[in-house]
Amino acid sequence: TSVASVAIGNSANFVGTAPGADVIFGTYQTDTDLANLGFQAAAQNAVAWNNSWGYTGLRLNLADFNLAFSGLSGQNYLSSLETFAGQGVVVFAASNDSLRNATLMEGLPFLRPDLEAGWIAAVNGVPTMSGNTVTGVHLLSNACWQAARWCLIADGTWNAATGSGSAYAPTTGSSFAAPQISGALALLAQAFPSLSAHQLRVRLLASAEDDFFTP
């Protein structure tokens, strides 16, 4: 509920990033659920597949990759990611553990380069502003690390829906940075309907504010 409100919320006291967007809801409880969601989203020509979750403890290496995508259901999930990333953009929230490496899912194109054209890693950071200019960012989640080429930082601090009736409460996390990025892709798709999702992704990455640091 909180993530959805950041992406598409539209009420008297709360407006999300893309309040007019269509949305497909799914669950990440099993690999089969995830695979079915990805294939359905691809069939519906969805622009973005928002993922505000991750595997606890799985790092960006081949052993953990094989662990995550083992068996028939795991292979089907990987196939759905490949299918969707071939035409849309998978947005994955970075870990909130302040690690010194990307974790498996936001960094997956590091191991499977064919996914990169349809992938964005979402990092949570609070900007320091001078007028309309970003002069610095305080990270509240893991950094981009190996995902640097496909990484965006957004301010994941929101008064988001808490799931308790109509209540809203302050919350923060990369889980709330990701739906801003997914919503931004939806807004771009509305504004530029002739462009592909991959073209919209390139424009979003290229237009991000990056003058405040030296890579």
Side-chain angles (χ1 to χ4, degrees):
T1 302
S2 299
V3 170
S5 70
V6 172
I8 60 165
N10 189 12
S11 68
N13 58 357
F14 186 94
V15 177
T17 306
D22 295 323
V23 64
I24 300 170
F25 288 99
T27 176
Y28 57 87
Q29 290 184 337
T30 71
D31 286 345
T32 299
D33 292 327
L34 287 162
N36 290 340
L37 176 61
F39 288 130
Q40 181 186 3
Q44 295 293 325
N45 294 314
V47 174
W49 181 0
N50 188 83
N51 295 270
S52 291
W53 68 282
Y55 291 113
T56 302
L58 292 190
R59 303 296 179 244
L60 191 57
N61 57 60
L62 188 58
D64 284 358
F65 173 90
N66 290 333
L67 185 63
F69 299 110
S70 62
L72 181 59
S73 61
Q75 287 298 305
N76 283 339
Y77 173 38
L78 181 60
S79 178
S80 75
L81 289 170
E82 292 170 337
T83 297
F84 189 87
Q87 64 187 62
V89 180
V90 177
V91 179
F92 234 105
S95 166
N96 289 312
D97 298 328
S98 298
L99 302 171
R100 294 189 63 82
N101 281 285
T103 54
L104 181 64
M105 298 309 293
E106 78 266 21
L108 195 57
F110 182 77
L111 299 175
R112 297 295 290 260
D114 55 310
L115 295 173
E116 183 176 341
W119 213 269
I120 291 179
V123 168
N124 180 25
V126 178
T128 299
M129 305 293 295
S130 176
N132 293 323
T133 302
V134 178
T135 59
V137 170
H138 174 64
L139 291 182
L140 296 177
S141 70
N142 196 12
C144 299
W145 298 106
Q146 294 94 330
R149 285 202 308 269
W150 54 90
C151 186
L152 285 172
I153 302 171
D155 188 348
T157 301
W158 279 68
N159 281 317
T162 63
S164 301
S166 59
Y168 289 80
T171 188
T172 190
S174 57
S175 289
F176 310 108
Q180 293 176 62
I181 295 169
S182 298
L185 288 166
L187 292 177
L188 286 173
Q190 180 187 40
F192 303 101
S194 65
L195 297 183
S196 71
H198 288 186
Q199 290 172 322
L200 299 176
R201 170 191 172 274
V202 168
R203 283 155 176 77
L204 191 59
L205 289 169
S207 62
E209 174 62 67
D210 61 359
D211 293 336
F212 61 92
F213 73 99
T214 301

